[in-house]
Amino acid sequence: MQGAMAAPALAPVTRQVSSRAAPALVPSGPESVLPLAAAVAELPVLDASGRRVQFGTLFRERRAVVIFVRHFLCYICKEYVEDLAKIPKSFLQEANVALIVIGQSSYHHIEPFCKLTGYSHEIYVDPEREIYKRLGMKRGEEIASSGDNIHFIHRDRNRLDHKPINSVLQLVGVQHVDFTSRSSVIHV
């Protein structure tokens, strides 16, 4: 794909970012995962047609990056999702990873938000904010997970504290994405 070039493989990110001043190290190996509470996995989210889907089914059978945005009217979240829209589907397919955005809104807002941002990956809403409440989220959050396990969580400390997309993608083995809009020059 033109404009999106793979960067050299980087070592995996091994730190969990928390609201504490210093990030806590996440141990490597099987003990590095956190179980997803069954109560959260069973909570519903809604797709663009209003169909209820259990949150846990979105990633129980596959690896996924789940991005919780503050709300669809947040300009910073809109820009973040616009950048997520630039991730080629082929990059996600090669890494066998799903990219999922969860918003706090009515399902009626999904389609207009996707048109506005150009986002074509999976998107759902938690209109009652039940998942947000049970996970203790006040702002947005990025999660890398597989099965019922969470491998990485980044909780935004403020509206400008989104985790850089390429560092989240690196966690799940998705190749580096060039988010610049410059056209690439090919030397022949």
Side-chain angles (χ1 to χ4, degrees):
M1 175 166 220
Q2 192 171 1
M5 299 180 67
L10 301 171
V13 176
T14 58
R15 281 190 258 157
Q16 178 176 343
V17 179
S18 70
S19 60
R20 287 178 255 132
L25 288 178
V26 174
S28 60
E31 69 278 5
S32 66
V33 296
L34 303 169
L36 182 62
V40 176
E42 301 303 319
L43 290 173
V45 292
L46 304 177
D47 67 11
S49 62
R51 185 176 60 94
R52 294 171 85 78
V53 179
Q54 284 185 340
F55 176 60
T57 63
L58 299 178
F59 50 84
R60 187 167 286 134
E61 302 292 322
R62 60 187 176 166
R63 292 184 319 145
V65 172
V66 181
I67 310 290
F68 288 89
V69 294
R70 290 178 62 234
H71 53 78
F72 293 158
L73 298 176
C74 169
Y75 184 75
I76 302 299
C77 295
K78 178 190 151 295
E79 284 189 336
Y80 195 76
V81 174
E82 285 173 342
D83 282 344
L84 292 172
K86 296 174 186 174
I87 300 170
K89 287 186 186 258
S90 62
F91 285 21
L92 297 167
Q93 290 167 345
E94 287 170 16
N96 195 26
V97 171
L99 179 61
I100 303 167
V101 167
I102 308 282
Q104 307 176 56
S105 184
S106 164
Y107 72 91
H108 294 100
H109 297 135
I110 292 175
E111 190 176 326
F113 183 72
C114 289
K115 285 181 182 174
L116 180 67
T117 60
Y119 185 81
S120 63
H121 305 289
E122 292 181 56
I123 186 167
Y124 301 88
V125 292
D126 176 14
E128 303 301 321
R129 297 192 70 249
E130 286 302 316
I131 297 169
Y132 284 76
K133 291 174 193 172
R134 293 206 190 164
L135 292 177
M137 287 186 278
K138 304 237 187 287
R139 298 172 186 87
E141 188 163 288
E142 294 83 31
I143 299 175
S145 64
S146 62
D148 286 334
N149 296 312
I150 296 173
H151 298 279
F152 174 82
I153 295 176
H154 170 79
R155 292 183 186 241
D156 297 346
R157 290 184 287 254
N158 59 59
R159 63 185 170 81
L160 300 173
D161 188 39
H162 288 290
K163 186 78 176 153
I165 294 171
N166 273 316
S167 63
V168 175
L169 295 177
Q170 178 188 356
L171 287 168
V172 292
V174 175
Q175 62 182 294
H176 181 84
V177 177
D178 181 3
F179 289 103
T180 62
S181 56
R182 294 179 281 129
S183 56
S184 55
V185 177
I186 302 173
H187 296 284
V188 204

